Amino acid sequence: MILSALLTSVGINLGLCLLFFTLYSILRKQPGNITVYAPRLVAEHKINERRQFNLESLLPSPGWVRQAWQPTEAELLSLLGLDAVVFMRIFIFSMRVFSFATIVGIGILLPINYLGTQLSDDSELTDKSLDSFSISNVNDGSNWAVKYFSRNNEHTGRLLLNPDYDIFFSRLWIHFCAAYIFSGVVCYLLYYEYSYISDKMINCLYSCKPLPHDFTVLVRGISTSLGHTVSEDVESFFTEYYSSTYLSHSVVRRTSKLQSLISDADKLYRKLAHLKSNKDTPRRFKREGLLGLFGRQVDLADHYEKKLDDLEQQVRMEQSLLAGQEVPAAFVSFKSRFGAATALHIQQRINPTEWVTEQAPEPQDIHWPFFSASFLRRWICNLAVVAACIAITILFLIPVVIVQGLTNLDQLGTWFPFLEGLLEITFVSEVITGYLPSLILQLFLSLIPPVMVVLSSVQGYVAFSQIQKSACIKVLLFTIWNIFFANVLSGSALYRVNVFLEPTKIPAVLAEAVPAQASFFIAYVVTSGWTSVSSELFRLLPLIFHFLAKVFAKKDAEEFKVPQIPYHSEIPKIIFFGVLGITYLILAPLILPFLLIYYCMGYIVYRNQLLNVYVSKYETSGKFWPIVHSSTIFSLVLMHIIAIGIFGLKSLPLASGLMVPLPVLTLLFNQYCQKRFLPLFKAYPAECLIKKDKEDQNDPTIGEFYNRLATAYEDPAMKPTNYLLSTDSCSTPLLRSAEVENLA
């Protein structure tokens, strides 16, 4: 790709970003659109969705930037939780890393690369290949003559040139030094962030009120005695062995059929509520027969009420039948955090596969369906998920091959000869090579996160946060392999895959292949990074669905759902751009300012989204940060391996050899961080738990908390769900008893 093609891609994406920012600043002020751009505030009744129209609302304004910038981190923590703070710390860490990287890369390495003559590109600046700004342009054995001078005291006493001490200093040694210095800075920032987030976790534990999941463990694989129920055995076991700390337990039951009935009843309830709240609805009658075309006419409201009453009776009957259908799993609650931690980390029975304990999730975080899954079913599902991931990875190579064909006009002309005339037009060729490939790849990649969530949900996880974390890891691995390695190795895939069977050739292969794809990844950062951030702010799809619902469904504002923060799709994207930036630091530093702009834009945009759009429905207590740390370490080691190969290809074997200790030191640093910080992300230390338990002893509300804890982990499907019908069917919507309790 030449520089003009990159500039075309940058111009297109910059225009899209400005367009999205402008439209957002206008549409967010229009009546009826607040549910799209501030659903969290509407749900919390902090803003009125129905605002009056005025001419000033048609003028774009950057006021949202100031509002997003103002809240402090402490305010974010109190409003959104620790996960949101950790999410923003990823942006802060990345901005610090790439601010330093941009100074080194653009200020030092880029001029050195550009002044090289290895590629012999004498064209104008805008027509130069982007390889002219990469390490590929530095001459093999390119030297600067450095002369030693000596003082000849026997003659004139002046500095004289001593030809016997002429040495040569390769320009590549500057890249060598940059790799060492940058690795040290990144490791320092990683240590600082790990320490900072660990302190935040401890402070959150000390400052928060008692939470059910801190006092509860999940026990699975419960073996029952003959003639005893699961509930009886659980109570007998923990009363005997944990008599001083045991509080209560809730046995899990098979409720998949019951949950389906309740889901149907909820859908019917919403239809009836909507029908009764709109007294001017023209269609209030339908036929009972097939597709509403046959049979006698019935009043829709009466028809729905009758079906709802029947479903309610079925739900009550199913609840009474499920009282004895227990699953060998139970939530066991204790009187103290330390008591729960003791039970969590001690093997309960001689057979380690029985009475297995794990940390209980938050009550609202529980994913109930897979409690009833047997061990064999979970094992089979895991194998099926692995096979599905492999199949998706192979199928995704098809768009990768298409994208690589678009970046090579000669290859594209060979595939489609009728396009040769069109490809000769300068602007068309620049758009095809600079913008279209990364756009196509991004469209295909947008399908992956929801697929990974589905695959993770069938693996047997019992918490939505575990599903989201698992999906995050899957999306990250998929992105690194299919976007980075597949594109890098696509030139001669079969040969390069075989090379991985000979580890000694890996550095040389990567050193040859990775720099060749620098131009593609720069365009990818601009297209996938800049445009995705601005489109996240604009929320085009929710805006379209909002207008369609207003026009056709005529839904009320109270029926919308506040979206959950999509950590599983956004964190892998942020990490992947970091992988690209670190990998290309010494290879093609031109990518660095584009990454820095992306992180700066993302920092402001996602602060705005967290404050106005998304809601945190459950917490992982910052457990996404170890993923960021490990990915950054991987990026550094990958950069080191490529540097070893590039110095070897550039006829600088001494630098190549001296690079070998750097990945070893990086991995040792990672090992130290794993020992120093990672245990805290798995369990709190006894010192903190006992200190917090002593504080709770003086809390006058702890007794009330214990009462709520006894029922906190009951399956929602087993709770009473009476549907109360209003007497005035034309003016008052229906209310379900569970919702009345929540409002109270």
Side-chain angles (χ1 to χ4, degrees), residues 208-210 337 692-706 708:
C208 71
K209 296 180 180 180
R337 297 174 181 83
K692 186 62 177 176
D693 287 336
K694 290 181 178 179
E695 293 179 1
D696 289 342
Q697 293 176 1
N698 301 322
D699 187 354
T701 63
I702 193 66
E704 182 182 351
F705 169 75
Y706 286 153
R708 296 196 305 269

Side-chain angles (χ1 to χ4, degrees), residues 47-61:
I47 193 171
N48 183 15
E49 190 237 348
R50 299 288 185 183
R51 298 194 298 182
Q52 295 297 323
F53 174 82
N54 57 74
L55 292 177
E56 185 183 356
S57 65
L58 295 177
L59 299 176
S61 63

Side-chain angles (χ1 to χ4, degrees), residues 660-671:
V660 173
L662 190 53
V664 177
L665 294 174
T666 303
L667 292 175
L668 289 176
F669 165 78
N670 178 60
Q671 185 68 17

Side-chain angles (χ1 to χ4, degrees), residues 70-143:
Q70 281 181 341
T72 63
E73 190 172 89
E75 293 173 337
L76 287 178
L77 183 62
S78 62
L79 288 172
L80 305 169
L82 184 58
D83 282 345
V85 171
V86 171
F87 182 68
M88 295 312 303
R89 295 300 302 186
I90 300 175
F91 280 102
I92 294 174
F93 166 75
S94 301
M95 286 190 293
R96 289 173 175 171
V97 167
F98 288 103
S99 294
F100 177 78
T102 301
I103 294 173
V104 174
I106 301 300
I108 300 176
L109 300 182
L110 188 67
I112 295 175
N113 296 341
Y114 181 72
L115 293 175
T117 58
Q118 182 74 25
L119 301 179
S120 301
D121 189 356
D122 297 329
S123 58
E124 296 293 332
L125 179 62
T126 57
D127 295 330
K128 281 184 175 292
S129 168
L130 292 184
D131 293 336
S132 300
F133 301 91
S134 70
I135 198 172
S136 302
N137 196 40
V138 180
N139 299 53
D140 296 344
S142 170
N143 301 315

Side-chain angles (χ1 to χ4, degrees), residues 606-660:
Y606 279 103
R607 278 180 71 96
N608 177 80
Q609 301 302 87
L610 291 175
L611 290 168
N612 298 324
V613 176
Y614 296 119
V615 65
S616 181
K617 298 180 181 178
Y618 39 79
E619 277 285 323
T620 67
S621 298
K623 289 183 173 59
F624 285 102
W625 178 255
I627 301 175
V628 180
H629 178 92
S630 300
S631 302
T632 307
I633 293 295
F634 166 79
S635 306
L636 289 174
V637 174
L638 180 62
M639 180 190 72
H640 302 154
I641 293 174
I642 296 173
I644 292 173
I646 202 73
F647 290 140
L649 293 178
K650 288 291 183 179
S651 303
L652 202 64
L654 179 59
S656 182
L658 292 177
M659 279 295 298
V660 173

Side-chain angles (χ1 to χ4, degrees), residues 504-536:
T504 56
K505 295 184 179 180
I506 292 177
V509 171
L510 292 177
E512 180 182 356
V514 173
Q517 294 298 325
S519 57
F520 167 77
F521 286 120
I522 293 175
Y524 181 80
V525 169
V526 175
T527 303
S528 178
W530 291 11
T531 308
S532 66
V533 168
S534 56
S535 61
E536 165 64 31

